[in-house]
């Protein structure tokens, strides 16, 4: 029997469990650990609440979770409740599917000012992550600046702009919905340090900005390269740039009907966030692209007055003491998922924070191939029963998949009209719901 521990119950974790099951069928036992009492990681707390069709992928994970040889072990913090070394003693393979939960710092002065947030925190706030549910961003200012030209920047800009009616059918948490309904924001500036051809925004997500009730995207036509240059882009990127071109062509009279401006500010590198205790502006330096496509400063600078800043510039994995880590790439040092025989990583913990949810599937299957090479038929480790003994000794309050289904049921029962669920944002509330008979 092979015993595998997966740490993290997001897409990377569940695809790895699925791959293990496909590889070994009944001859494997997989335990998926999560520090929260609820599964699915970024699907629950990262994917935007108004993107329910993307969140629907969790149904696939649920069918894996309900296999007899796959088990969800929630509410267990690896590193506190049990160490990696202990898990390695119990399981033939330990797979880190811990994602990249920390914001990459912008490395500029003023990041610590009030009302400046990283996207992990801000997205966690509107998605009800217990760690960030009490973030309480102040939305009473007029201008928000979103730093970054990726899909997370688009998510944040869109969420800041939507009306309550546009959240119908979403699972945005009540505290965020209420705060957004009272928001005074009239301008969301999306800062890109490079140009329209260098955006990391996908066409579908970019296209959504054209259909907002209150928001209207604005692109300065002068920032767009000659249209012939679009021919050199790969098709997806060309489509994204076509959206930017269509935003640049929106007539002013149409814009006037929409109270929130979503301004794309390209070739704009943030240099400092300023304010007296609380953010009141951001200093920007104009850039040009060098021959390698990198942004270099021109010396020309300006300030945007703003009362909220959200940095959406990527994430980093949490290092684990004793596990080799590549600081610059923000991921564990690994060779195609193998950190060392017996210890592996998948998803963002392996690759860094890029790619779609689906990118994790080949990752999971790839790492199972490595594990198969390393562990053979298993080495007689204690596996599940061993962990259960340890959990009992330490009085760990483990949340099972069945318990999670009770939490889910309670969240569905308390949903506002039209919403799929109202998430619990507090771990104790989750545990209470899980303990109901
Ligand atoms: P991302 O796609 O890597 O984009 C990060 C952006 O931040 C880039 O535009 C980058 O510009 C910019 N940036 C980085 N450091 C900066 C700095 N110091 N100053 C200014 N700008 C800086 O990251 P993400 O938006 O966090 O998304 C993470 C992953 O999740 C991506 O693969 C994304 O596609 C995926 N995602 C998908 C969806 C969806 O499909 N709906 C939604 C959300 C996220 P440079 O290019 O110049 O480095």
């Amino acid at each position: 029997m092979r015993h595998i521990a997966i740490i993290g119950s997001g897409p990377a974790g569940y695809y790895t469990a699925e791959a293990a099951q496909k590889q070994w069928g009944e001859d494997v036992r997989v335990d998926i650990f999560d520090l929260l009492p609820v599964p699915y990681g970024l699907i629950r707390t990262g994917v935007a609440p108004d993107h329910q069709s993307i969140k629907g992928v969790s149904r696939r994970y649920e069918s894996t979770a309900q296999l007899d040889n796959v088990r969800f072990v929630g509410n267990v913090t690896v590193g506190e409740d049990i160490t990696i070394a202990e898990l390695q003693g119990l399981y033939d393979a330990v797979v880190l599917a811990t994602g990249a939960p920390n914001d990459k710092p912008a490395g500029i002065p003023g990041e610590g000012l009030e009302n400046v947030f990283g996207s992990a925190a801000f997205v966690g706030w509107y998605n009800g992550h217990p760690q960030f549910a009490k973030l309480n961003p102040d939305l009473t200012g007029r201008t928000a600046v979103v730093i970054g030209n990726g899909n997370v920047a688009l998510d944040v800009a869109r969420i800041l702009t939507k009306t309550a009616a546009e959240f119908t059918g979403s699972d945005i948490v009540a505290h965020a919905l209420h705060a957004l309904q009272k928001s005074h924001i009239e301008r969301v500036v999306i800062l890109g340090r490079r140009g329209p051809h260098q955006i990391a925004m996908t066409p579908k997500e970019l296209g959504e900005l054209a259909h907002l009730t209150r928001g209207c995207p604005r692109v300065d036509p002068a920032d767009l390269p000659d249209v012939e240059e679009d021919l050199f882009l790969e098709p997806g990127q060309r489509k994204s740039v076509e959206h930017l071109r269509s935003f640049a062509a929106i007539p002013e009279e149409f814009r006037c009907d929409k109270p929130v401006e979503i301004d794309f500010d390209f070739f704009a590198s943030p240099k400092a966030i300023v304010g007296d205790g609380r953010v009141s502006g951001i200093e920007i330096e104009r850039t040009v692209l060098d021959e390698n496509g990198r942004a270099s400063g021109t010396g020309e600078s300006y300030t945007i007055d703003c009362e909220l800043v959200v940095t959406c510039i990527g994430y980093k994995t949490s290092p684990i003491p004793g596990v080799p880590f590549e600081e610059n790439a923000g991921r564990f040092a690994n060779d195609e998922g193998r950190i060392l025989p017996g210890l592996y990583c998948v998803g963002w913990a392996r690759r860094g924070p890029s790619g779609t949810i689906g990118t994790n599937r080949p990752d999971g299957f790839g790492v199972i191939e490595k594990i198969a090479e390393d562990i053979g038929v298993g080495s007689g480790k204690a596996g599940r029963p061993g962990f259960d003994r340890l959990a009992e000794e330490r009085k760990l309050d483990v949340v099972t998949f069945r318990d999670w289904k009770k939490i889910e049921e309670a969240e569905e029962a308390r949903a506002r009209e039209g919403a799929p669920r109202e998430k619990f944002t507090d771990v104790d509330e989750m545990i209470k719901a899980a303990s109901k008979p």
Side-chain angles (χ1 to χ4, degrees):
M1 180 61 69
R2 300 153 185 89
H3 295 285
I4 298 182
I6 297 173
I7 306 171
S9 69
Y14 269 108
Y15 284 125
T16 304
E18 182 187 326
Q21 217 280 330
K22 291 229 158 85
Q23 174 89 9
W24 292 299
E26 270 309 300
D27 298 325
V28 67
R29 296 284 177 272
V30 181
D31 281 356
I32 304 183
F33 291 84
D34 204 296
L35 56 86
L36 290 181
V38 293
Y40 307 141
L42 269 199
I43 300 296
R44 179 177 166 104
T45 58
V47 171
D50 56 342
H51 281 171
Q52 287 298 311
S53 57
I54 301 181
K55 286 187 189 259
V57 72
S58 61
R59 284 192 285 277
R60 180 186 184 124
Y61 309 147
E62 179 159 334
S63 50
T64 301
Q66 283 177 333
L67 296 165
D68 286 341
N69 54 346
V70 176
R71 189 168 78 150
F72 174 67
V73 188
N75 200 34
V76 173
T77 303
V78 174
E80 280 177 27
D81 296 324
I82 184 165
T83 64
I84 293 275
E86 285 171 326
L87 286 174
Q88 286 178 286
L90 291 169
Y91 296 84
D92 296 303
V94 175
V95 183
L96 307 175
T98 45
N102 304 318
D103 284 302
K104 200 181 100 182
I108 55 174
E111 275 187 277
L113 288 172
E114 261 179 63
N115 235 28
V116 177
F117 305 106
S119 52
F122 197 77
V123 171
W125 168 70
Y126 62 64
N127 257 329
H129 191 300
Q131 195 186 341
F132 304 113
K134 297 210 162 51
L135 197 71
N136 200 18
D138 179 356
L139 308 180
T140 58
R142 201 187 84 82
T143 302
V145 170
V146 176
I147 304 178
N149 270 182
N151 280 327
V152 174
L154 281 181
D155 282 346
V156 169
R158 187 181 71 254
I159 296 291
L160 281 173
T161 312
K162 277 196 163 182
T163 60
E166 288 173 293
F167 284 115
T168 304
S170 82
D171 66 352
I172 189 164
V173 288
H175 65 236
L177 186 60
H178 293 149
L180 288 162
Q181 271 177 294
K182 288 190 284 173
S183 162
H184 293 195
I185 290 168
E186 295 170 0
R187 184 172 179 231
V188 180
V189 182
I190 302 178
L191 281 189
R193 62 181 170 184
R194 299 192 290 156
H197 273 194
Q198 287 74 36
I199 55 171
M201 298 164 163
T202 42
K204 182 180 157 289
E205 283 63 30
L206 202 45
E208 285 177 71
L209 293 192
H211 305 288
L212 295 170
T213 308
R214 293 192 316 142
C216 187
R218 180 191 286 270
V219 169
D220 182 347
D223 283 339
L224 291 162
D226 289 341
V227 72
E228 300 78 51
E229 292 181 35
D230 291 3
L231 292 172
F232 300 105
L233 298 173
E234 60 87 20
Q237 188 73 343
R238 196 179 316 141
K239 235 175 167 172
S240 290
V241 173
E242 278 165 18
H243 280 299
L244 294 178
R245 291 191 184 282
S246 69
F247 299 163
I250 294 174
E252 212 52 49
E253 24 333 337
F254 179 80
R255 243 181 253 293
C256 298
D257 295 340
K258 308 250 182 169
V260 183
E261 220 171 72
I262 303 173
D263 264 345
F264 284 84
D265 194 355
F266 291 112
F267 306 107
S269 178
K271 288 294 151 199
I273 302 169
V274 293
D276 185 7
R278 167 171 289 253
V279 55
S280 60
I282 181 160
E283 289 172 6
I284 319 277
E285 183 179 15
R286 268 281 162 251
T287 64
V288 286
L289 295 188
D290 65 19
E291 63 279 9
N292 299 315
R294 282 190 300 251
S296 66
T298 61
E300 184 199 337
S301 60
Y302 57 99
T303 301
I304 299 175
D305 294 335
C306 62
E307 298 81 18
L308 169 69
V309 171
V310 186
T311 62
C312 304
I313 59 171
Y315 302 105
K316 289 197 311 185
T317 294
S318 287
I320 296 175
V323 180
F325 193 72
E326 285 175 10
E327 192 59 50
N328 284 345
R331 63 180 179 223
F332 296 108
N334 72 91
D335 175 18
E336 294 179 27
R338 184 192 280 124
I339 298 173
L340 43 97
L343 184 62
Y344 309 84
C345 54
V346 285
W348 282 6
R350 170 192 164 182
R351 291 178 279 112
S354 65
T356 62
I357 290 162
T359 317
N360 294 301
R361 192 166 184 274
D363 249 34
F365 279 77
V367 88
I368 287 298
E369 273 178 35
K370 297 278 169 207
I371 294 174
E373 285 167 20
D374 292 347
I375 70 170
V377 293
S379 57
K381 291 198 179 182
R384 266 180 200 188
F387 171 77
D388 289 346
R389 274 193 296 278
L390 197 139
E392 209 175 305
E393 273 164 35
R394 293 185 186 173
K395 300 195 174 9
L396 302 184
D397 197 0
V398 172
V399 170
T400 65
F401 200 77
R402 191 174 296 176
D403 296 333
W404 146 245
K405 292 302 284 179
K406 286 193 225 164
I407 302 175
E408 186 182 46
E409 206 177 290
E411 290 185 336
E412 286 169 1
R414 65 193 213 128
R416 64 184 170 273
E417 207 185 323
R421 65 190 66 81
E422 181 61 52
K423 290 178 203 164
F424 292 113
T425 60
D426 179 85
V427 168
D428 290 338
E429 282 183 313
M430 294 172 182
I431 305 269
K432 212 165 126 200
S435 319
K436 289 238 163 88

